[in-house]
Amino acid sequence: MRADAQRNRDLLVAAAVQVFAERGTDAPLDDVARRAGVGNATMYRHFPTRSDLLLTVYADEVSQLCACAETLREEAGSPREALHEWLRLFMDHVATKRDLALADPAQVADWHRAMLTAASSLLADAVRAGAVRADLDVRDLLTLVKGITLAAENRDQAERLLSLVNWGP
């Protein structure tokens, strides 16, 4: 990609992050182009649909979430603490990306695999440490956390509901 095209693409992604954070993902795409300082044609050349732009915006965030798993494995006080902290980050991700959580699985299949891999390593550590039940399945765990997050009215309620889960061995 030419340097100017890459710069415009980067500007559009940065602007979309800001506009979506301020006004939601239904914000007019014209606002994204205006914030990026490019024309609508430039935006649509890079991102033909809203979905294309959303998936690009979220790609970095998913990568960061997955990278946090390794950091937590190294820095958390215990495997259980690492797992719980990552699940809190996952809850925040789901809560602020409701449209992504409800997206067509085929569109985000690679991300689901990456998050399953990240969560699996944390869960395996916690099981080996005897901190959580050995029969916990990572897919069930993420589905449970995602479901609780989407159903809860707010973060505090989601945390309370999640605290009711029997994690212990």
Side-chain angles (χ1 to χ4, degrees), residues 75-93:
E75 297 178 3
S78 70
R80 181 184 175 100
E81 187 179 312
L83 176 63
H84 281 231
E85 182 56 32
W86 191 86
L87 290 173
R88 284 185 200 95
L89 295 171
F90 180 70
M91 281 177 58
D92 290 341
H93 173 78

Side-chain angles (χ1 to χ4, degrees), residues 59-76:
D60 285 342
E61 295 178 24
V62 170
S63 295
Q64 290 171 7
L65 176 63
C66 291
C68 282
E70 196 57 37
T71 302
L72 288 167
R73 287 179 83 194
E74 296 169 2
E75 297 178 3

Side-chain angles (χ1 to χ4, degrees), residues 9-23:
R9 187 178 192 285
D10 293 344
L11 288 170
L12 284 162
V13 171
V17 168
Q18 294 172 348
V19 170
F20 293 161
E22 292 168 6
R23 302 184 53 205

Side-chain angles (χ1 to χ4, degrees), residues 55-168:
L55 292 173
T56 301
V57 166
Y58 296 154
D60 285 342
E61 295 178 24
V62 170
S63 295
Q64 290 171 7
L65 176 63
C66 291
C68 282
E70 196 57 37
T71 302
L72 288 167
R73 287 179 83 194
E74 296 169 2
E75 297 178 3
S78 70
R80 181 184 175 100
E81 187 179 312
L83 176 63
H84 281 231
E85 182 56 32
W86 191 86
L87 290 173
R88 284 185 200 95
L89 295 171
F90 180 70
M91 281 177 58
D92 290 341
H93 173 78
V94 170
T96 59
K97 311 293 181 289
R98 293 180 90 80
D99 50 341
L100 182 62
L102 300 170
D104 175 8
Q107 289 182 300
V108 293
D110 290 341
W111 297 348
H112 284 281
R113 280 190 291 279
M115 287 190 278
L116 281 171
T117 299
S120 291
S121 65
L122 293 166
L123 181 58
D125 290 349
V127 167
R128 275 192 298 279
V132 298
R133 295 174 21 193
D135 64 343
L136 282 177
D137 176 80
V138 70
R139 289 179 192 278
D140 292 344
L141 180 61
L142 293 185
T143 299
L144 174 70
V145 173
K146 181 172 139 180
I148 286 173
T149 303
L150 292 173
E153 293 178 16
N154 56 48
R155 169 68 190 257
D156 289 339
Q157 183 184 36
E159 287 274 352
R160 278 193 312 278
L161 291 170
L162 197 56
S163 73
L164 299 174
V165 175
N166 179 10
W167 301 95

